[in-house]
Amino acid sequence: MTNSKEIAQGKIGIFDSGYGGLTVMRSIVDALPQYDYLYLGDNARAPYGNRSFDTVYHYTLECVNWLFDQGCDLVILACNTASAKALRQIQQVDLPKRNDHKRVLGVIRPTTEQLGHMTASGVVGVLGTEGTVRSGSYPIELAKFFPEVVVEQEACPMWVYLVEHNQRKGEGTDYFVKQHVDRIFQRNPRIDTLLLACTHYPLLTETIEKFLPEGVKLVSQGGLVAERLADYLGRHPEMEARLRRAGFRSFNTTDDPQTFEKQASVFFGEPIVASHVEIGQH
Ligand code: DGL
């Protein structure tokens, strides 16, 4: 057993229910390569999208605490479902109890801060999990920055399964992708900006693009989150000063590490080595 005192501090933790957060991590690492990163995918309990508020909160908190124990000072919930359902409670109830410098950030706010600037028609579409859509987080957060922008939402319950099970192309995937893309544009054909509000969905980009009306901009969150993280660190020098700069990367999954390595290497765009970690009950 490693004594927790020997664990190097100053890492940035990146958390997702499974593989999706790797799309965000890719952008963050490209933008800020100097820092140390530790990724955790709770693949054994994914998807989170259809689970209750309480379940998503408890799973997310367990994973955040694990990342803190591994020396992360800052944790990014690279998962919209966890950001929508668990972030507020963690920030308002759990972090104050710790009374230390550790912080947790989500992906919804950095996205909504910029999304309204991208639309010319004033209508944006949001594709997400059931949990994210039902939480209403996007319309609520977007209204704070861009009250004039109209938001149409569509839950795509099958899409995370398709990604987690490496079914990113093919007839079955076309069917499930087309169904939801058609539905959101039938609801409002004026949508000119379509947000992939689930970090798994960029992995379906090629298929989604086949069914998009011409001229519609498809937006992934990775770049937006990376840009806002750089801005956050600029505004929080006390946090930035704690971060180590050894270029350390570690990938961890609650499921089988060999399967994770194979999939994650494709999604992350370079070979990775993963470790299995035991967190909570499956
Ligand atoms: N990547 C997560 C998100 O952004 C997927 C949620 C799930 O596990 O269903 O919402």
Side-chain angles (χ1 to χ4, degrees):
M1 277 286 285
T2 321
N3 183 324
S4 64
K5 286 204 182 90
E6 293 164 14
I7 292 177
Q9 303 294 306
K11 301 179 194 103
I12 298 177
I14 300 186
F15 165 71
D16 182 43
S17 59
Y19 297 109
L22 291 163
T23 61
V24 174
M25 180 163 172
R26 180 72 270 165
S27 301
I28 292 179
V29 167
D30 286 347
L32 302 165
Q34 65 272 37
Y35 300 120
D36 291 9
Y37 295 96
L38 204 151
Y39 185 87
L40 174 62
D42 192 8
N43 299 76
R45 303 189 289 194
Y48 280 13
N50 308 331
R51 295 189 188 271
S52 72
F53 178 94
D54 265 6
T55 305
V56 172
Y57 163 65
H58 285 295
Y59 287 0
T60 304
L61 183 61
E62 281 176 341
C63 291
V64 166
N65 283 335
W66 183 84
L67 287 163
F68 283 163
D69 290 345
Q70 300 307 306
C72 296
D73 286 316
L74 181 63
V75 171
I76 315 291
L77 302 185
C79 174
N80 289 269
T81 310
S83 299
K85 292 183 155 188
L87 180 63
R88 181 184 296 242
Q89 190 147 343
I90 291 176
Q91 283 179 335
Q92 294 183 354
V93 178
D94 299 291
L95 288 183
K97 279 192 217 152
R98 294 182 63 94
N99 195 22
D100 63 10
H101 63 276
K102 307 235 182 203
R103 293 290 175 267
V104 181
L105 303 173
V107 287
I108 295 179
R109 185 158 181 151
T111 304
T112 50
E113 278 175 1
Q114 299 169 82
L115 190 64
H117 292 304
M118 298 177 185
T119 170
S121 71
V123 186
V124 302
V126 170
L127 300 173
T129 65
E130 299 256 30
T132 299
V133 166
R134 254 193 265 127
S135 74
S137 299
Y138 272 96
I140 293 167
E141 289 296 317
L142 206 64
K144 291 182 189 162
F145 301 107
F146 306 97
E148 69 292 353
V149 169
V150 174
V151 185
E152 299 290 346
Q153 298 195 95
E154 172 75 10
C156 314
M158 284 299 291
W159 291 14
V160 172
Y161 289 96
L162 294 171
V163 172
E164 286 287 311
H165 297 282
N166 205 15
Q167 300 292 314
R168 291 179 295 137
K169 284 181 193 158
E171 256 175 64
T173 307
D174 281 358
Y175 172 83
F176 285 113
V177 168
K178 184 176 186 313
Q179 185 181 48
H180 296 293
V181 172
D182 285 354
R183 216 179 273 166
I184 197 164
F185 284 100
Q186 273 156 18
R187 213 172 303 133
N188 196 331
R190 294 186 58 238
I191 295 168
D192 67 350
T193 306
L194 189 61
L195 174 70
L196 302 180
C198 169
T199 55
H200 280 68
Y201 296 176
L203 299 161
L204 295 170
T205 295
E206 255 182 69
T207 306
I208 297 168
E209 277 175 343
K210 288 206 302 200
F211 304 111
L212 280 189
E214 237 184 84
V216 172
K217 198 183 309 146
L218 194 61
V219 179
S220 299
Q221 295 173 293
L224 306 181
V225 174
E227 195 187 311
R228 298 318 291 165
L229 176 60
D231 177 74
Y232 172 89
L233 294 174
R235 286 183 291 108
H236 294 84
E238 74 295 346
M239 174 60 79
E240 207 278 336
R242 288 181 183 276
L243 300 179
R244 281 180 84 229
R245 291 165 184 75
F248 169 93
R249 318 270 184 259
S250 161
F251 296 87
N252 304 273
T253 174
T254 54
D255 211 335
D256 176 53
Q258 273 87 43
T259 311
F260 185 87
E261 280 171 5
K262 231 184 279 159
Q263 288 257 70
S265 297
V266 177
F267 300 158
F268 191 63
E270 62 185 75
I272 63 126
V273 176
S275 306
H276 170 79
V277 297
E278 207 57 56
I279 296 176
Q281 290 182 347
H282 307 164

